[in-house]
Amino acid sequence: MLVMTIESSCDETSVALIKDGRQILANAVASQIPIHRRYGGVVPELASRNHIRDIHQVLNEALEEANLTLDQVEGFGVTCGPGLVGSLLVGIETARALAFALDKPVVGLNHLEGHLTAVLLEGDQVANPTFPYLGLIVSGGHTDLYIVHGLGDYELLGRTRDDAAGEAFDKVARMLGQPYPGGVAIDRLAKDGCPDAIEFPRPMWTRKNFDFSFSGLKTAVAQHIDAHGIPEGQALNDLCASFQEAVVDVLLFKALNACETHTLKRLVLSGGVACNSRLRQRAAEACQARGLELFVAPPSLCTDNAAMLGPIAEHYLQLEGATHAIGHPIRAQSSMPLGHSERTPARTHR
């Protein structure tokens, strides 16, 4: 099946063309980082306005890259949550209009499910994981642990109780006068720093669950800056390395404990923070030491993009009940557990 997927949940406008749920024919992305950088974070109203401006251009770029026409597309998949309401609306209405005009099916998709299954796409990774595996989503808005039993079948183990890890990176970078996105800046500076220079707390380190918390760590950095001022030179590198190490310690401690508790042999890192070089390095070392397989998608498939929706779009479009959804809102085809830990299989909505 040839599927067009559309992603507009935050500040990237993306359209992809995916064959058979695995092969990426095109993955066009328009980033809004230069627009939001001056504000130190995403401004929702500006994001939605720029999605409107960019969506048609990005759609045409994807078709040109794949050397295809719209009438060759057999179905559509679009992110319908979670995300910024105004941003999501642009992608949803674009998908609805195309599906109606071409009389093709369309499914609403869960953004988190896309992150969890991006490693199933054909690409630079050596191999794709088999089910089940533990999925750690680490991004600007989410820090979650799921057992992925199969497409449409997920078990939520834990999530952040306050700030996401990516948000903590952005906020700490802003305290230090570094540009947005903060994760990139901190990763760069930390490479020349000492991770043991400053003893920052490891939030929820001893709690016997798989939840996360990063607001306290962010506060600890703020208190250090209040006491010592904004550092420069090597002191700045050391602070960034120490903060980053605290985040990575907590992420891997929880993820590896979850693998052991649930007897899982495969760990998948996903989301924008999965691009962090220290997290990738430490995860590779820890998995090798414990006999676990580690899977991380290429950086272009970790940050928000439409191609990551390919496997689940194909999956749900093949299920009975896919519809062009004209006359009622597109709803997520997955009943992915977003606020509870019960294992819930996917359902198809008519």
Side-chain angles (χ1 to χ4, degrees):
M1 195 173 190
L2 177 61
V3 177
M4 176 178 281
T5 52
I6 300 174
E7 156 65 29
S8 65
S9 63
C10 191
D11 61 332
E12 276 89 18
T13 312
S14 183
V15 177
L17 289 154
I18 310 295
K19 182 179 180 181
D20 299 329
R22 296 294 187 270
Q23 183 181 357
I24 302 173
L25 303 182
N27 188 25
V29 181
S31 174
Q32 298 180 19
I33 288 177
I35 296 168
H36 299 284
R37 178 169 284 147
R38 63 180 296 187
Y39 305 103
V42 177
V43 180
E45 184 178 354
L46 292 178
S48 57
R49 287 181 180 180
N50 282 278
H51 283 306
I52 295 172
R53 184 197 67 182
D54 293 337
I55 186 65
H56 290 99
Q57 178 182 344
V58 173
L59 192 153
N60 288 330
E61 286 178 4
L63 290 170
E64 290 176 8
E65 181 183 345
N67 195 25
L68 295 169
T69 59
L70 263 177
D71 58 3
Q72 293 175 277
V73 176
E74 298 173 79
F76 296 88
V78 59
T79 300
C80 65
L84 303 175
V85 174
S87 294
L88 289 166
L89 187 61
V90 177
I92 291 171
E93 291 307 311
T94 300
R96 283 164 55 92
L98 291 171
F100 177 71
L102 298 172
D103 194 25
K104 298 292 175 65
V106 59
V107 287
L109 304 170
N110 188 301
H111 178 78
L112 301 184
E113 195 173 358
H115 277 309
L116 282 176
T117 58
V119 291
L120 302 178
L121 290 161
E122 296 177 359
D124 296 334
Q125 61 265 29
V126 175
N128 304 117
T130 55
F131 302 117
Y133 58 78
L134 183 77
L136 172 60
I137 305 174
V138 199
S139 67
H142 307 278
T143 304
D144 306 325
L145 274 174
Y146 285 92
I147 299 177
V148 181
H149 296 280
L151 288 175
D153 191 358
Y154 315 96
E155 183 177 354
L156 176 63
L157 299 182
R159 62 169 8 132
T160 182
R161 296 188 178 183
D162 40 61
D163 295 345
E167 180 184 352
F169 270 103
D170 287 340
K171 295 295 177 59
V172 168
R174 188 172 182 177
M175 293 178 201
L176 297 172
Q178 297 301 309
Y180 171 85
V184 176
I186 288 179
D187 191 6
R188 172 177 51 81
L189 293 167
K191 290 178 181 179
D192 296 320
C194 174
D196 300 320
I198 303 170
E199 187 176 349
F200 286 124
R202 270 60 172 168
M204 300 188 71
W205 188 257
T206 59
R207 299 289 179 89
K208 294 183 178 181
N209 58 41
F210 302 115
D211 288 338
F212 302 90
S213 171
F214 294 101
S215 63
L217 175 57
K218 187 177 66 177
T219 300
V221 175
Q223 290 174 339
H224 181 87
I225 294 172
D226 287 343
H228 303 282
I230 298 177
E232 297 179 354
Q234 186 59 43
L236 176 61
N237 297 339
D238 289 345
L239 190 153
C240 289
S242 299
F243 162 74
Q244 179 176 263
E245 199 74 1
V247 175
V248 171
D249 275 349
V250 173
L251 292 174
L252 291 181
F253 179 79
K254 297 282 186 174
L256 294 171
N257 276 355
C259 284
E260 181 179 356
T261 300
H262 295 275
T263 321
L264 296 167
K265 295 299 184 181
R266 290 166 290 277
L267 172 62
V268 169
L269 301 182
S270 60
V273 181
C275 296
N276 181 272
S277 63
R278 184 61 172 167
L279 177 59
R280 286 181 175 236
Q281 175 194 348
R282 290 275 311 279
E285 294 169 350
C287 286
Q288 183 177 15
R290 290 165 174 77
L292 304 175
E293 293 183 88
L294 176 67
F295 299 87
V296 190
S300 62
L301 297 179
C302 289
T303 53
D304 290 350
N305 68 96
M308 71 180 187
L309 303 172
I312 55 173
E314 172 87 8
H315 173 71
Y316 292 120
L317 283 166
Q318 295 288 1
L319 292 178
E320 181 184 0
T323 173
H324 58 60
I326 298 301
H328 60 81
I330 292 179
R331 294 174 290 179
Q333 296 297 304
S334 169
S335 57
M336 187 175 185
L338 296 177
H340 53 84
S341 59
E342 291 81 9
R343 179 176 172 183
T344 310
R347 294 185 300 229
T348 300
H349 300 286
R350 291 186 180 274

